Amino acid sequence: MAKVLNYLWRFWLLLLAFVFTILFGIPVYILSFYKKHYKYAYKFIRCWSYCLFYGMGLRYDLTKLSSQKLDKNQQYVFISNHTSIMDIMLMCILCSDHPICFVGKKELVKIPIFGTIYKRVCVMVDRSSARSRADVYRRCAEKMEEGNSIVIFPEGGVPDDTSIILDEFKDGAFTLSSKHNSPIVIFTFIGLKEIFPFDNSKGYPGKAKVYFNGIFPPSDSPKDLKAEAFIEIKKTLAKHSN
């Protein structure tokens, strides 16, 4: 019975996504034709995120582990651990004053309706192509020059092994931070792995915990910055997970 209810709950997400992707996707698509209007398109993206996140019965509590404050005029590279598709919606909700663009896998373009919007507002990468991976830095730089910040989930995806708490970080976010002198903003998400996992037969409405770990300045040594960020998120997961 629990599985049946979960599948019905996931079907509700499909309905929400269909309705709100059409409702908010049309203005996003039109506004994204003009780079200078992305900040307006982003308002509709955030509305879409709110509708899907809260429409699925999800909530979050934000705890600030750092007193640092974001500068509205600064472009950042936002990172967090990645355990659920809802990480995307939650990051949009959190980033109210900084229009963000995600670095995401090219395969998502194939999703009907959503894929059309996705390719207009995201930096897509084909992870099987070295050329595509290398070109990401140039395209991210263009987005940042337009006044946008970048979101990268440094694990590069969600591991198939659900026992892995935090997978090894890829270099991309930290190399981008170093190349373009952009600070790294670190969040840790706890609970979404259980509340809304990728397994469609599991999950439940509930409240996730979000921790703002702080802002790390760009470093001449991206590998050192990557190690620091990994330790910071892993430490938060170990301390605050139930």
Side-chain angles (χ1 to χ4, degrees), residues 8 36 84 112 126 138 147 186 200 230:
L8 289 174
K36 64 181 180 180
S84 168
D126 180 356
R138 178 188 63 80
I186 302 177
N200 289 330
F230 183 88

Side-chain angles (χ1 to χ4, degrees), residues 3 11 27 29 33 51 68 85 96 110 113-114 117 132 145 153 157 167 172 184 190 227 238 242:
K3 284 190 176 182
F11 181 69
Y29 185 79
F33 273 101
C51 289
Q68 293 170 293
I85 191 173
S96 58
K110 299 176 183 177
I113 303 176
F114 171 81
I117 311 300
S132 176
E145 285 170 5
F153 297 114
D167 206 1
I184 293 270
I190 297 177
N242 293 328

Side-chain angles (χ1 to χ4, degrees), residues 141-195:
E142 290 177 354
K143 294 289 187 183
M144 296 177 89
E145 285 170 5
E146 293 163 13
N148 306 311
S149 292
I150 301 294
V151 175
I152 301 179
F153 297 114
E155 292 169 273
V158 178
D160 295 329
D161 185 353
T162 56
S163 67
I164 296 175
I165 304 301
L166 187 64
D167 206 1
E168 181 181 349
F169 281 3
K170 306 294 189 295
D171 294 334
F174 311 98
T175 302
L176 181 65
S177 169
S178 177
K179 281 189 173 185
H180 301 289
N181 199 37
S182 300
I184 293 270
V185 179
I186 302 177
F187 286 103
T188 302
F189 297 160
I190 297 177
L192 284 175
K193 184 176 184 178
E194 294 74 29
I195 294 170

Side-chain angles (χ1 to χ4, degrees), residues 75-123:
Q75 283 71 55
Y76 296 97
V77 178
F78 290 88
I79 69 168
S80 77
N81 54 317
H82 190 27
T83 59
S84 168
I85 191 173
M86 286 295 170
D87 295 337
I88 296 168
M89 293 71 171
L90 183 52
M91 191 66 85
C92 288
I93 292 170
L94 291 169
C95 298
S96 58
D97 296 324
H98 294 81
I100 56 175
C101 296
F102 288 85
V103 174
K105 54 187 179 181
K106 188 177 181 180
E107 292 81 356
L108 294 181
V109 173
K110 299 176 183 177
I111 300 175
I113 303 176
F114 171 81
T116 303
I117 311 300
Y118 176 79
K119 67 182 179 182
R120 298 299 302 273
V121 300
C122 296
V123 176

Side-chain angles (χ1 to χ4, degrees), residues 9-10 12-14 16 51-59 86 196 204-206:
W9 187 51
R10 294 297 178 120
W12 175 242
L13 174 62
L14 293 178
L16 289 176
C51 289
L52 266 62
F53 190 83
Y54 286 98
M56 290 303 291
L58 306 183
R59 302 291 184 271
M86 286 295 170
F196 206 92
Y204 51 88

